[in-house]
Amino acid sequence: MTRARILLLSGLAALYLVQGATVIAAPPVAAMYVDAMAREKAIRVALADPNAPLKLEEVRAVVRAYEAIVAQYPASGYSDNALWQAGHLALDAFWRFGQAQDKDTCVRLLQRLVTAYPTSKLAKQVPAELRQTAVAVQRAAPPPAAAPAPEPAPVPVPG
């Protein structure tokens, strides 16, 4: 073997090792899920306390962490659970902060659970969850404002 060939093979082997290390560095799905669950647990403590200083962006960040699991590991057994958790957390954010975007996120994530993971036991629970959510939102909505009474017609002044 020539010296040039040895150097070339050594370089390729080093490149392979570096590339392999990059793949190994990607967080495993179980670690991502456990991390998201721990973050959610802390958020839920704050959600339960109406006086806790909680920012909506913190809640949404945890929802995005669950969505990242699904994006990176769509075939994982954790993905349907991640959508379920994210959907319910988004709904709780809606109840706490009143932003319709969070209710919409809940519906989107739960519907995605049904379409992407139709055999999941959680997917079977989604229709009832969405019905229950719709009823609760309807009950919580303020009644429609009554139309203002028409102004009385001016009375002609005799003259």
Side-chain angles (χ1 to χ4, degrees):
M1 221 187 239
T2 67
R3 181 175 165 91
R5 205 176 238 177
I6 291 173
L7 286 173
L8 177 64
L9 289 175
S10 298
L12 288 174
L15 182 63
Y16 177 76
L17 288 174
V18 169
Q19 190 70 6
T22 302
V23 171
I24 292 170
V29 66
M32 288 177 72
Y33 188 76
V34 167
D35 179 60
M37 290 285 290
R39 290 171 64 193
E40 178 186 1
K41 185 176 181 181
I43 290 291
R44 289 205 171 278
V45 168
L47 279 170
D49 179 0
N51 298 318
L54 178 65
K55 294 183 177 137
L56 176 56
E57 192 50 42
E58 294 170 341
V59 181
R60 288 178 177 167
V62 177
V63 171
R64 286 191 302 271
Y66 281 122
E67 287 184 282
I69 293 168
V70 178
Q72 285 189 282
Y73 300 99
S76 167
Y78 289 96
S79 292
D80 60 331
N81 294 65
L83 288 170
W84 180 264
Q85 294 297 128
H88 284 86
L89 187 56
L91 183 61
D92 290 341
F94 167 72
W95 292 122
R96 170 77 179 258
F97 297 99
Q99 300 286 317
Q101 168 187 342
D102 298 305
K103 176 184 59 75
D104 296 343
T105 297
C106 166
V107 171
R108 176 181 56 81
L109 292 172
L110 292 181
Q111 287 175 339
R112 182 174 177 197
L113 169 58
V114 170
T115 57
Y117 306 98
T119 60
S120 167
K121 66 179 182 178
L122 297 172
K124 293 167 182 49
Q125 299 175 43
V126 168
E129 287 288 321
L130 291 177
R131 277 192 304 275
Q132 184 178 354
T133 297
V135 168
V137 168
Q138 189 174 9
R139 284 185 186 151
E151 300 240 352
V155 179
V157 179

